[in-house]
Amino acid sequence: MKILFLTSRLPYPPHRGDKLKIFHLMRQLSRAHELTLLSFISDKSELASAGPLKELCREVHTVYRPFSRSLLGCLAAVPSPDPIQVGYFRSRTMRETLGRVLAEGNFDVIHTHLIRMAQYTRDLRGPVRVLDLTDAGSLYLDRFRRTVKNPLLKLLVWAELRRLKPYEGVIEAFDSALVCSPVDRRVLASAAPKARLDILYNGIDLETFTPGEGIHGDPDRIIYTGNLSYFPNTDGIRYFVR
């Protein structure tokens, strides 16, 4: 198949959860399918590290959107009912570039990563459209809101939650929507009962993370690795400690 990946961040280097997942998904799919990538970049220096992506893809297209333009997009989204993150990634250049890539590519599948990018593919016709949500954003924001102590941050999270919850109905427009757990699927199924929701579990790269000889586990110790500025990761550590 010919698959177009549409991402809000260049999925390399894979040092964050969203980049890591998409990079390894592309790495696996590239073994049997022809891939094309279209992604935002916020710094032109990112192109210097795109070599491994070019090895996986027939073509790599990028749309430069500096942080200042994204902030203006957030401000423009305030009077609308859309989530602020949608405004952050709203771009006429991206829409035009996507139209050109689709016209030239004759794709079988469009794999859109994260709900913030659904604005570009929700109304398309032709290729099978997959929306890779990873998780239920409303569940994440609701749990974060209940935990955060800073009153201003709590208010901002609550405001985004009020926008995101109804917006999650957009997943009904796609042929398939992917989440990483049954819990997330149940939450989204209540928000979008007509959505076709499937589970794509998070995994481990066993080709890299294979124990060597002489390494023995300790049943009383847990190594937890992850981005600790991301609330679900710190929440997970607290869960294991308790």
Side-chain angles (χ1 to χ4, degrees), residues 164-175:
L164 181 60
K165 213 163 188 179
Y167 191 83
E168 286 178 333
V170 72
I171 64 180
E172 293 184 346
F174 288 80
D175 299 298

Side-chain angles (χ1 to χ4, degrees), residues 8-242:
S8 58
R9 293 187 178 93
L10 198 68
Y12 200 88
H15 54 62
R16 294 174 50 141
D18 57 340
K19 294 185 175 189
L20 186 149
K21 173 190 173 178
I22 291 298
F23 173 74
H24 285 286
L25 183 60
M26 292 175 65
R27 188 168 66 89
Q28 294 294 328
L29 289 173
S30 68
R31 297 175 179 178
H33 306 285
E34 180 182 296
L35 308 185
T36 297
L37 172 66
L38 172 57
S39 178
F40 277 115
I41 57 171
S42 58
D43 191 320
K44 293 182 179 180
S45 65
E46 294 178 60
L47 294 173
S49 62
L53 293 172
K54 294 177 180 179
E55 294 176 5
L56 301 179
C57 301
R58 182 175 179 271
E59 294 180 336
V60 174
H61 303 272
T62 58
V63 172
Y64 173 57
R65 185 169 176 81
F67 181 64
S68 57
R69 291 291 300 276
S70 295
L71 285 182
L72 290 175
C74 291
L75 292 174
V78 170
S80 79
D82 292 341
I84 299 301
Q85 62 178 288
V86 173
Y88 189 97
F89 288 100
R90 181 166 286 145
S91 164
R92 180 183 299 176
T93 304
M94 172 58 81
R95 194 172 295 279
E96 292 172 350
T97 304
L98 175 61
R100 176 175 55 80
V101 171
L102 288 173
E104 298 171 354
N106 192 27
F107 295 99
D108 300 297
V109 177
I110 304 175
H111 189 107
T112 303
H113 187 222
L114 301 180
I115 198 167
R116 63 188 62 153
M117 298 296 285
Q119 58 187 305
Y120 297 108
T121 51
R122 61 184 298 178
D123 297 321
L124 293 178
R125 294 294 179 265
V128 173
R129 291 164 302 125
V130 177
L131 179 60
D132 189 343
L133 296 156
T134 299
D135 56 18
S138 58
L139 178 62
Y140 157 63
L141 288 178
D142 189 44
R143 288 176 171 175
F144 188 28
R145 176 182 64 87
R146 295 170 187 272
T147 305
V148 69
K149 304 299 182 184
N150 185 305
L152 177 58
L153 181 57
K154 185 184 287 286
L155 178 63
L156 292 174
V157 172
W158 174 79
E160 181 70 353
L161 174 61
R162 288 192 65 188
R163 292 166 176 263
L164 181 60
K165 213 163 188 179
Y167 191 83
E168 286 178 333
V170 72
I171 64 180
E172 293 184 346
F174 288 80
D175 299 298
S176 177
L178 304 176
V179 291
C180 67
S181 79
V183 174
D184 294 283
R185 181 167 63 179
R186 285 196 298 270
V187 170
L188 290 171
S190 64
K194 296 181 181 179
R196 290 157 290 279
L197 288 159
D198 297 298
I199 297 177
L200 178 61
Y201 289 103
N202 291 331
I204 299 293
D205 179 7
L206 295 178
E207 295 176 4
T208 300
F209 298 104
T210 301
E213 294 183 5
I215 295 178
H216 304 285
D218 183 338
D220 297 322
R221 304 181 76 182
I222 296 174
I223 296 176
Y224 192 105
T225 63
N227 175 11
L228 299 187
S229 65
Y230 183 52
F231 163 72
N233 289 344
T234 54
D235 188 52
I237 291 175
R238 293 189 183 97
Y239 169 82
F240 279 115
V241 169
R242 289 194 298 267

